[in-house]
Amino acid sequence: MIKRVLIILFLLISFIRANSQEFNFGFQSGIGTYSMKGLKNINSEVPQGLPFDTKLVADFPAYFYFRPTMLIRFNNFCLGLVYSFQSTGSRISAKDYSGEYRFDMKVKSNAPGIYCEVTLSAVDNFRFNLYSIIGPSFSNLETKEYFNVADTVLRNANYKFKAQNFYIEPGINFLLPLKAFSFGINLGYLVQFGDQAFYTGNNKKNILFDTKNQVSVKPDWDGIRIGLSVFYNLSN
């Protein structure tokens, strides 16, 4: 089976190289901002149910994303596949001589996508491009709540949730080819669409629910994406 897959992959790459000007493999990494409105609402409600003061240490801050990319370029048009990984999280905590409290949420997304790019201008081999990525987003959320008083653990709970939605990311990039390599910088904005809330287990009705606002909670990856990329032209 593996041998057949390798043969098909080899034939596909050979076909692409024969019928396109460039076949590029690259990697992009940068910083993303993540809205996470529903999860931030939960963070604002948790301290209200506690009989002691807490501190919001982190509330889903901007964090790194990683994106391997495979592209086929035809003159001023580019088409390809990307795979994005991004993550962020939050922590509410309190600690003194009598005990410790922590409430952590960590959320991550694996998002394959179809990449499309159009060159708007090219000066001295320097390209200014308009791009768009669209695809599904598979999100995973893990919550941990820990409460210890006088060396006695009163609560130690761990829950896992997941959700599938979709996204589109339009943006611009600047690309500078140098022999077999190309170096670029991109600026885009990701917009998530889809209504699936976080659910646990295999039951999509067993959802994460915000009881105060009476709404289900879903991932919200909306935000800016700014990154650097490097590509290698396999057609050389």
Side-chain angles (χ1 to χ4, degrees):
M1 180 65 182
I2 296 178
K3 185 177 180 180
R4 291 180 180 178
V5 172
L6 291 175
I7 292 175
I8 293 173
L9 183 60
F10 174 77
L11 293 175
L12 180 62
I13 292 175
S14 299
F15 174 79
I16 292 172
R17 293 182 64 178
N19 291 275
S20 65
Q21 287 189 350
E22 294 182 12
F23 178 52
N24 294 330
F25 179 78
F27 184 81
Q28 181 187 115
S29 182
I31 295 290
T33 62
Y34 313 110
S35 181
M36 299 298 166
K37 295 177 182 177
L39 295 178
K40 287 181 178 180
N41 285 339
I42 292 178
N43 276 341
S44 67
E45 296 162 14
V46 168
Q48 298 176 15
L50 299 173
F52 47 84
D53 293 333
T54 61
K55 181 179 180 180
L56 184 60
V57 178
D59 197 20
F60 304 99
Y63 199 65
F64 296 104
Y65 72 88
F66 305 96
R67 181 178 290 166
T69 308
M70 202 163 48
L71 304 177
I72 310 165
R73 186 175 297 281
F74 303 89
N75 295 322
N76 293 326
F77 178 74
C78 191
L79 188 66
L81 299 174
V82 301
Y83 180 86
S84 302
F85 175 81
Q86 50 207 352
S87 64
T88 186
S90 71
R91 167 168 286 189
I92 297 173
S93 70
K95 187 176 182 180
D96 60 18
Y97 67 92
S98 62
E100 179 182 8
Y101 175 83
R102 294 194 309 269
F103 179 68
D104 294 337
M105 288 194 285
K106 296 180 181 180
V107 60
K108 61 183 179 181
S109 167
N110 294 279
I114 297 174
Y115 182 96
C116 182
E117 178 185 287
V118 177
T119 299
L120 300 180
S121 65
V123 179
D124 295 331
N125 218 25
F126 186 85
R127 297 174 182 262
F128 172 56
N129 306 305
L130 184 67
Y131 78 87
S132 182
I133 308 172
I134 188 169
S137 176
F138 302 92
S139 301
N140 291 277
L141 168 68
E142 183 176 11
T143 68
K144 294 182 179 180
E145 189 174 25
Y146 176 82
F147 189 24
N148 182 313
V149 177
D151 295 327
T152 301
V153 177
L154 301 180
R155 183 168 177 79
N156 190 7
N158 186 355
Y159 298 99
K160 294 183 179 181
F161 302 85
K162 55 187 174 182
Q164 178 185 343
N165 289 283
F166 298 89
Y167 74 98
I168 184 169
E169 181 190 324
I172 57 174
N173 67 44
F174 301 89
L175 196 66
L176 178 62
L178 294 174
K179 296 183 178 179
F181 290 91
S182 296
F183 302 90
I185 181 171
N186 66 283
L187 174 63
Y189 192 91
L190 186 145
V191 177
Q192 178 183 293
F193 57 97
D195 295 323
Q196 188 172 100
F198 282 114
Y199 67 93
T200 185
N202 295 318
N203 185 358
K204 293 185 179 180
K205 295 182 179 180
N206 193 9
I207 63 173
L208 181 62
F209 197 77
D210 181 348
T211 55
K212 181 179 179 180
N213 297 305
Q214 293 296 302
V215 293
S216 58
V217 179
K218 63 181 181 180
D220 187 357
W221 293 102
D222 288 19
I224 296 170
R225 302 293 185 272
I226 181 168
L228 300 174
S229 58
V230 58
F231 294 93
Y232 179 71
N233 185 358
L234 298 176
S235 302
N236 284 346

